[in-house]
Amino acid sequence: MNIIIQTINFRESTELKDFIYDKLDKLTILDPEIIRMEITLKEGAKNNPSNKWCSLYISHPGENQFVKKRAGTYEESIILASETMEKILRRNKSKKIRDRKSSLKILKQM
């Protein structure tokens, strides 16, 4: 799995990079089929107090997921994006399990 970090108009620190890897590792536990994660950090308008944007794009077989969140700091926006992506991955996982159970039920009826 590849993790691609892109920062626009600033250079990320090693602490921020470690924080990103820590948060994204939790997502790989939920969905081990993830091929690539792309995270983009950028600053929005100067007059807005919550102007730190985090875009998270996950590529895995079947369908891709995208989340974009903003907050006062990059760490907060990363947390918001990863929590939202975690909800999406959990929802997709439960949907797959439900579909698998219903297909097994249909096969048993035959």
Side-chain angles (χ1 to χ4, degrees), residues 3-109:
I3 297 178
I4 300 167
I5 301 172
Q6 180 182 10
T7 56
I8 300 175
N9 295 331
F10 76 97
R11 184 169 292 228
E12 76 273 2
S13 65
T14 56
E15 292 87 16
L16 183 61
K17 196 180 255 189
D18 292 339
F19 182 78
I20 291 170
Y21 284 121
D22 182 46
K23 289 297 175 184
L24 296 184
D25 280 341
K26 294 177 184 177
L27 296 177
T28 59
I29 294 169
L30 280 173
D31 191 358
E33 295 180 346
I34 293 175
I35 298 169
R36 181 179 66 213
M37 289 191 215
E38 295 177 19
I39 187 162
T40 305
L41 302 172
K42 69 177 183 176
E43 190 171 353
K46 296 285 184 192
N47 57 357
N48 191 352
S50 60
N51 64 346
K52 308 291 193 240
W53 287 89
C54 173
S55 302
L56 178 58
Y57 176 81
I58 291 183
S59 175
H60 56 86
E63 57 187 64
N64 301 326
Q65 305 295 332
F66 178 76
V67 172
K68 187 173 185 179
K69 295 291 179 179
R70 72 175 181 178
T73 64
Y74 288 116
E75 289 82 3
E76 290 175 17
S77 62
I78 292 166
I79 290 170
L80 289 173
S82 66
E83 287 175 350
T84 304
M85 187 61 74
E86 182 178 341
K87 289 178 186 177
I88 291 170
L89 292 176
R90 285 186 192 276
R91 187 178 338 126
N92 288 345
K93 188 174 184 177
S94 65
K95 183 179 175 186
K96 286 178 185 178
I97 292 171
R98 187 176 58 241
D99 291 345
R100 190 178 317 133
K101 285 181 180 178
S102 66
S103 64
L104 286 175
K105 193 175 187 180
I106 292 171
L107 287 174
K108 286 182 181 180
Q109 292 175 354

